[in-house]
């Protein structure tokens, strides 16, 4: 399934909720789907700078595709990174760099986050793209 199809699926899932409180609860549920990060990667070397809560992100490339693992000490943030991983996981570095993450605006995520969480969201995206850029240059 392509990144647009996954994003459309996410938009549809969030569209069933009218209230943002329900959407937050759904994000909390999504946090439980996050692939577990190796404990060795829960260190400061893997912390995303710019997030209010602690978010650890790791990526590895296998057969030309990037696979992410992450964790956070905040459940809403964990749900947000789970969404990003759902869209970008198992893609080539170039696909990650080229993907327009339009679902964020479509579901109203950015404007329903506190300014510090919105900055954290941008930091998560930036870090995922930095991994893709690094892997892309190693081809």
């Amino acid at each position: 399934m392509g990144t647009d199809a996954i994003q459309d699926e996410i938009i549809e899932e969030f569209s069933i909720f009218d209230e943002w409180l329900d959407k937050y609860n759904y994000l909390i549920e999504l946090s439980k789907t996050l692939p577990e990060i190796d404990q060795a990667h829960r260190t400061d070397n893997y912390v995303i700078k710019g997030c209010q809560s602690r978010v650890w992100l790791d990526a590895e490339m296998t057969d030309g595709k990037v696979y992410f693992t992450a964790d956070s000490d905040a459940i809403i943030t964990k749900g947000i990174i789970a969404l990003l991983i759902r869209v970008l996981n198992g893609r080539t570095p170039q696909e990650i760099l080229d993907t327009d993450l339009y679902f964020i605006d479509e579901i109203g995520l950015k404007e329903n986050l506190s300014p510090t969480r919105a900055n954290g969201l941008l930091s998560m995206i930036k870090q995922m793209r930095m991994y893709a850029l690094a892997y892309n240059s190693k081809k």
Side-chain angles (χ1 to χ4, degrees), residues 9 13 27 45 52 54 62-63 68 87 94 112 123:
E9 202 176 78
E13 289 167 14
L27 275 173
N45 292 342
Q52 179 182 13
R54 292 173 60 83
T62 307
D63 298 328
F68 296 98
V87 174
Q94 196 59 53
N112 283 287
S123 295

Side-chain angles (χ1 to χ4, degrees), residues 19-38:
E19 302 295 320
W20 254 95
L21 190 57
D22 296 326
K23 292 180 184 187
Y24 283 131
N25 286 330
Y26 187 57
L27 275 173
I28 291 167
E29 285 303 307
L30 290 173
S31 74
K32 298 171 186 168
T33 68
L34 195 61
E36 203 164 309
I37 194 167
D38 186 319

Side-chain angles (χ1 to χ4, degrees), residues 63-131:
D63 298 328
K65 297 191 174 175
V66 182
Y67 294 91
F68 296 98
T69 55
D71 199 3
S72 176
D73 59 6
I75 50 177
I76 298 228
T77 305
K78 199 170 175 174
I80 293 168
I81 194 79
L83 283 175
L84 293 172
I85 287 176
R86 184 169 153 193
V87 174
L88 299 175
N89 217 30
R91 308 284 169 198
T92 66
Q94 196 59 53
E95 280 179 296
I96 293 167
L97 295 170
D98 292 344
T99 297
D100 171 26
L101 296 168
Y102 61 85
F103 82 92
I104 293 167
D105 289 328
E106 288 289 322
I107 66 173
L109 186 58
K110 209 183 315 177
E111 58 268 10
N112 283 287
L113 294 175
S114 66
T116 50
R117 274 223 174 98
N119 285 341
L121 169 65
L122 296 175
S123 295
M124 287 184 250
I125 294 167
K126 181 179 173 189
Q127 186 61 46
M128 293 175 95
R129 289 196 168 136
M130 292 300 282
Y131 273 119

Side-chain angles (χ1 to χ4, degrees), residues 6-24:
I6 293 171
Q7 290 188 82
D8 292 343
E9 202 176 78
I10 292 168
I11 292 164
E12 193 173 316
E13 289 167 14
F14 274 82
S15 74
I16 62 172
F17 304 109
D18 293 328
E19 302 295 320
W20 254 95
L21 190 57
D22 296 326
K23 292 180 184 187
Y24 283 131

